[in-house]
Amino acid sequence: MAILVRPLREDEARTFFDIHSRAVRGLAADSYPAEVIEAWGARASDRAIERFFENPESEIRLLAELDGVPAGLGVLVPEKLELRACYVAPEAARQGVGSALVQEIERIARERCLTRLELHSSINAEPFYASLGYEIVERGEHVLRSGLRMAAVKMRKQLEIGRAHV
């Protein structure tokens, strides 16, 4: 199976949000209450799409394709040293898509001389990030736009500049 990770194109915003929604609903539903899944995995409104294009934090947005089909998304916010998102469509889970996204995010981070990345992981994704070398900083909560709180894990990874991913 061929995995390609590339920059998200402007005409792919709905694909981006669709993957996010399907990933949350399909992969996190066993770890969170239904109301959290509903709020977190809500379909994107037209206003959400407009805000997405504004991109005030200069997010670097990536799309992963598995055999030519959109299968995952990733987001890096260099100024905040933040791996903001890595979501994989349920049908593409455990096929290397998430790992390929994180590897590309880390490559871009190193290219920009970032020495670490931080993230807020869902509890269901914690083992995934741990397997890629991210360490737990603290357990806590993340507040969704709706105001609902969800359990989350702050994680961090030191990056070695000038070292290719092995």
Side-chain angles (χ1 to χ4, degrees), residues 15 57 82-83 91 112 125 157:
T15 299
E57 295 185 286
E82 181 183 6
L83 190 166
E91 66 275 10
R112 291 170 177 255
K157 181 176 181 178

Side-chain angles (χ1 to χ4, degrees), residues 18-33 36-38 40-41 71-73 86-99 101 121-129 150:
D18 178 62
I19 290 169
H20 173 267
S21 179
R22 290 189 299 120
V24 168
R25 292 171 185 277
L27 301 173
D30 291 342
S31 299
Y32 290 96
V36 169
I37 296 297
E38 189 59 34
W40 180 22
L73 65 94
C86 180
Y87 291 89
V88 176
E91 66 275 10
R94 293 169 184 76
Q95 295 182 53
V97 174
S99 295
L101 280 160
S121 173
S122 59
I123 55 176
N124 57 293
E126 177 188 336
F128 165 72
Y129 289 114
M150 60 181 275

